[in-house]
Amino acid sequence: MLGTFLPLAYYGGIKSATGGVIMAGLAVVSVGLYFSAASLRIRELDFAKAKRQPTEPASDPVVSNIDEEASNNDNEFSDEPQQNEAQENSKGNNNMSITSTSKISTERSAQDEPEYSVFVKISLCLIAGIFCSMLQFDFIFGQNLIDVAENDSATPPGGSAAIIWLFAITVGAIPSIIYGFYSSPKEIPLKTIWMCPWWRHLLLICSTSLPWVAQIHLYGLAANVFLPKDFAASIAWPTVMTTTVAQGMALSFWCLGEWTTANDEAKCKQVTGLCLTLIGVVLFMVSVAV
């Protein structure tokens, strides 16, 4: 919203027909995000209710087997081999009981992890969205640098926006790297960076770094080459961001299995939000022809 509305106001295109279609697309996307947030809230409430439901302690079949064998040994006469066999079975059952106890303690420790409310999650998304728009403002208010790059004969066609990357990535990479080291799991030593197989590094680069850089490069190319200057930032930016959000919603819903245990109401709202988001993308793209 912020990265789309401010360029329209800055370039004065908010009163035009194209600006009206873009604002309509923003309204549709906002409604879609509302449905997605509502579906997330319903899903989280269902998970919380399921965790708060008291569970009756079930009798341990291992312990009951041990007691039954002990009573049988007390009531029946047995020879020495049978007693040895009973002792071995008892030891094996005790080991199974210890294993089950360790599993229960592990599950309890996992349940003791803090659960953040929907308000905290949505607030974090809003804060991240506001700071994410700063890259958009780099391209808008750094237009003078882009013009200098375009006037240079050595600059290739479509490469004028790379001057923004020179500053944006350099400044943004430093705190990102520091936070990455700070938030890294304590049980995973840093030496795994060098001990990890090379193909895993290559897979990580191809699946995360290259797609992220590619989408922003496509945004810069579209905003500075293919689209009209007065509306380029207001069309390219929401198209890129909304498509990214829709992709994440679709992956979490159909591929990652994050909504398999959600009820029908939550799933319906999530699908509604996804459809509205796609309609908003169509409006952004259609606004070029208005």
Side-chain angles (χ1 to χ4, degrees):
M1 291 288 293
L2 189 64
T4 304
F5 178 76
L6 287 184
L8 281 177
Y10 181 76
Y11 290 113
I14 193 171
K15 297 180 180 180
S16 62
T18 301
V21 176
I22 294 174
M23 294 301 296
L26 282 179
V28 173
V29 170
S30 299
V31 176
L33 292 178
Y34 168 78
F35 276 98
S36 298
S39 65
L40 176 64
R41 181 176 181 274
I42 295 173
R43 190 190 69 171
E44 295 297 326
L45 289 177
D46 290 341
F47 288 167
K49 290 179 181 178
K51 289 183 179 180
R52 287 197 300 265
Q53 287 180 354
T55 56
E56 297 181 359
S59 60
D60 193 348
V62 176
V63 177
S64 61
N65 289 335
I66 295 175
D67 294 338
E68 183 178 355
E69 289 181 0
S71 61
N72 290 333
N73 289 332
D74 292 338
N75 296 329
E76 295 180 358
F77 293 100
S78 60
D79 53 5
E80 189 66 22
Q82 291 177 345
Q83 291 179 355
N84 293 334
E85 183 178 358
Q87 291 177 358
E88 291 178 357
N89 292 333
S90 177
K91 290 180 180 179
N93 291 330
N94 286 332
N95 292 333
M96 294 174 61
S97 178
I98 294 173
T99 304
S100 62
T101 304
S102 62
K103 290 182 179 180
I104 294 174
S105 61
T106 304
E107 293 177 355
R108 288 178 179 176
S109 62
Q111 293 178 356
D112 293 338
E113 294 180 355
E115 283 289 338
Y116 299 101
S117 63
V118 178
F119 174 78
V120 174
K121 294 177 181 179
I122 295 178
S123 300
L124 181 60
C125 292
L126 290 176
I127 294 173
I130 292 173
F131 283 101
C132 179
S133 301
M134 298 299 109
L135 181 60
Q136 162 79 330
F137 298 152
D138 291 339
F139 286 95
I140 296 172
F141 300 107
Q143 188 62 42
N144 293 333
L145 287 175
I146 297 176
D147 294 338
V148 171
E150 288 180 349
N151 295 329
D152 191 345
S153 59
T155 303
S160 58
I163 188 66
I164 301 298
W165 278 101
L166 178 63
F167 294 98
I169 296 299
T170 303
V171 175
I174 296 174
S176 297
I177 294 173
I178 294 175
Y179 180 75
F181 282 111
Y182 170 76
S183 61
S184 61
K186 302 298 184 293
E187 64 273 10
I188 302 178
L190 293 178
K191 64 181 181 179
T192 55
I193 299 176
W194 296 273
M195 298 177 61
C196 183
W198 64 270
W199 59 267
R200 294 188 63 180
H201 292 286
L202 186 61
L203 180 63
L204 185 64
I205 292 173
C206 294
S207 60
T208 58
S209 301
L210 290 181
W212 182 79
V213 173
Q215 70 163 351
I216 302 299
H217 273 296
L218 290 175
Y219 157 74
L221 182 63
N224 292 279
V225 177
F226 300 126
L227 298 175
K229 183 178 180 180
D230 294 339
F231 302 99
S234 299
I235 297 174
W237 180 258
T239 301
V240 171
M241 292 294 104
T242 308
T243 304
T244 304
V245 172
Q247 180 184 0
M249 293 166 58
L251 288 175
S252 66
F253 191 83
W254 284 292
C255 298
L256 300 180
E258 297 179 357
W259 294 82
T260 54
T261 57
N263 58 29
D264 293 336
E265 183 182 2
K267 291 180 180 179
C268 181
K269 288 183 178 294
Q270 178 71 349
V271 173
T272 303
L274 181 59
C275 293
L276 290 174
T277 302
L278 294 178
I279 293 174
V281 173
V282 173
L283 289 175
F284 294 143
M285 298 173 67
V286 169
S287 64
V288 182
V290 176

